[in-house]
Amino acid sequence: SRKGVYSFEVRDSATGELRRSFTEPGRYFTSMDIHPLTDEIFTGGWQKMVWQGESPAYFTLPTSHSRTGVFLGTGEWFIGPDDQAGLALMQMGKGQPGVIRKFPRQKVPVTGSDGKYALLEGGQGLQLLRNVGTGSDLVATIPEEKRQHKFLKDTLFTSTRHIPGPRFDRVLATDDSMSVIRDAKTGRSIVDLEPAEKAGAGRFSVGDLAWFDQGRKIIGIGNRPARNGKNQSSLVVWDAITGKIIQTAAAATELDTLAVSPDDTRLASAGTDMTIRVHDTSTLQFLYGFRAHNAAISNLAWHPKQQVLASASEDLTVKIWDLRADKCVQILRTLDSRPTALSFSPGGKMITCSDEKYVRVWALDIFK
């Protein structure tokens, strides 16, 4: 037990090798047994539970300093934490992947759905990596531009997060209150986005952001402090050419994350009320929602090829949802702390989730 989080492990009796790890907040275990045929695990305690027999993580990498991981190619390459304080490009194989190249002091990799490019950010600035695995890998540094924001002229804009456009020709840079679209080669600003408070009274901060409509629009979460101490969230849509706010919609709850489907027609959002809501991207109309977790949802990711959505939660689980069948098809329970990043491989057969201590990769049973 650790701070009210209880866990148990399954190990190989001959070698002691860790095969599976299960974690559940707020539930203590007094007994357990494994079904000899189904591989299900029964745990007794104040609440009796049956755990699905699950494959262990394909591999696990220790992390710190907010470092996360992403796939490249169709999933044969991975960028994740190295054994020091930076990132490493790795080639996937059986067991732990082999390190091909290191990027010292970099922390956060971001990639597109096609897996052709990766954006690295951290102590070495903003770097664009492309042509991975071709023998002509190219890393280009994108200059940082520090200047006043068009709409907040008394503030010097310095970006803290970056979201590449669909073709990696533009980068959306944000510091959680202001956002700027930059040229991916020169780093120069193309357009400043209107501050989210233009969508309503009071000071807004900018939460999760995503490109859609083939890079013509950007959607994000606008958060305004409410009297109850929580945030009042809105969905905000910007024109990526002019930077103007063109559409808003009040959210039903405080939001932490959103994700746009690969065909740009659906938006999934989630937050503190443990519910996933799906909207039409063209109108922001609410279509349907469902209770997905037992704690706040911090990350969402769409499958690149199917109507499948992944969610990661503070209940320390990652769940895979088949939206056509309206059901959860796989649960991954080996998180150690609050999730910080979640993404599918471009081929859709693997998934990675980062928390505060580890970056994990799983091969998904439903896509084998």
Side-chain angles (χ1 to χ4, degrees):
S1 170
R2 174 178 44 78
K3 294 182 179 180
V5 177
Y6 296 82
S7 63
F8 62 91
E9 298 176 345
V10 178
R11 294 182 178 270
D12 188 294
S13 60
T15 65
E17 179 185 359
L18 179 65
R19 306 305 294 269
R20 290 178 241 161
S21 176
F22 299 85
T23 306
E24 189 75 9
R27 295 190 174 100
Y28 63 86
F29 309 118
T30 60
S31 62
M32 66 178 63
D33 199 5
I34 300 178
H35 194 288
L37 300 179
T38 66
D39 203 28
E40 293 173 317
I41 299 174
F42 168 83
T43 57
W46 74 271
Q47 183 173 350
K48 297 173 176 61
M49 299 182 67
V50 176
W51 305 71
Q52 294 177 338
E54 300 173 2
S55 301
Y58 190 72
F59 65 83
T60 300
L61 299 170
T63 188
S64 60
H65 304 96
S66 303
R67 292 177 297 166
T68 57
V70 295
F71 296 97
L72 285 171
T74 59
E76 67 269 29
W77 302 94
F78 190 78
I79 297 179
D82 64 11
D83 55 359
Q84 297 174 351
L87 296 174
L89 173 64
M90 311 172 199
Q91 187 167 16
M92 302 285 284
K94 293 182 178 179
Q96 292 291 108
V99 174
I100 304 299
R101 181 173 182 174
K102 290 189 175 183
F103 305 94
R105 298 169 53 201
Q106 296 294 65
K107 293 181 179 180
V108 181
V110 186
T111 188
S113 59
D114 59 7
K116 293 181 180 180
Y117 302 88
L119 198 65
L120 313 180
E121 56 183 275
Q124 296 285 1
L126 199 60
Q127 295 177 311
L128 182 63
L129 175 65
R130 61 180 185 269
N131 298 333
V132 174
T134 63
S136 58
D137 303 345
L138 179 62
V139 177
T141 299
I142 301 175
E144 176 70 23
E145 183 186 48
K146 295 184 179 180
R147 62 168 187 64
Q148 290 182 328
H149 192 277
K150 175 181 177 181
F151 297 97
L152 299 171
K153 295 182 179 180
D154 59 338
T155 303
L156 185 66
F157 176 75
T158 303
S159 56
T160 57
R161 289 187 296 137
H162 302 87
I163 303 98
R167 294 182 295 276
F168 271 72
D169 57 342
R170 294 171 294 166
V171 175
L172 177 60
T174 180
D175 71 349
D176 297 329
S177 63
M178 300 176 287
S179 300
V180 172
I181 298 176
R182 288 180 169 155
D183 185 283
K185 291 183 179 180
T186 66
R188 292 181 179 177
S189 298
I190 300 173
V191 63
D192 294 2
L193 300 190
E194 279 188 329
E197 55 259 39
K198 290 279 187 177
R203 180 78 172 180
F204 272 76
S205 63
V206 179
D208 217 357
L209 292 158
W211 298 79
F212 75 107
D213 193 17
Q214 298 181 345
R216 289 186 285 263
K217 297 178 182 177
I218 294 168
I219 189 164
I221 298 169
N223 288 315
R224 183 175 70 241
R227 293 181 179 179
N228 60 6
K230 297 183 179 181
N231 287 324
Q232 181 178 340
S233 297
S234 299
L235 295 173
V236 183
V237 179
W238 289 267
D239 185 305
I241 306 301
T242 66
K244 299 289 186 180
I245 294 174
I246 56 176
Q247 201 171 3
T248 62
T253 187
E254 181 178 357
L255 297 178
D256 290 320
T257 182
L258 58 77
V260 176
S261 62
D263 63 3
D264 284 350
T265 63
R266 296 291 180 263
L267 167 74
S269 65
T272 57
D273 72 346
M274 304 165 281
T275 299
I276 294 174
R277 293 176 173 83
V278 178
H279 303 255
D280 183 286
T281 55
S282 62
T283 63
L284 299 186
Q285 179 183 356
F286 170 75
L287 300 176
Y288 59 90
F290 54 93
R291 170 72 177 264
H293 287 273
N294 295 321
I297 300 169
S298 57
N299 301 89
L300 295 170
W302 285 90
H303 189 277
K305 299 179 180 179
Q306 302 188 35
Q307 286 297 306
V308 171
L309 184 71
S311 57
S313 166
E314 293 179 18
D315 66 8
L316 305 184
T317 65
V318 175
K319 294 185 178 182
I320 313 298
W321 303 92
D322 185 336
L323 299 182
R324 293 166 300 183
D326 192 26
K327 66 178 182 179
C328 178
V329 292
Q330 192 168 357
I331 303 176
L332 306 169
R333 298 182 182 270
T334 56
L335 298 185
D336 187 78
S337 55
R338 185 183 188 275
T340 58
L342 178 71
S343 62
F344 283 96
S345 64
K349 295 184 178 181
M350 307 186 82
I351 193 169
T352 180
C353 184
S354 304
D355 60 29
E356 296 169 356
K357 291 187 177 181
Y358 297 98
V359 174
R360 292 181 173 88
V361 171
W362 293 270
L364 297 173
D365 297 337
I366 57 173
F367 301 119
K368 286 183 177 179

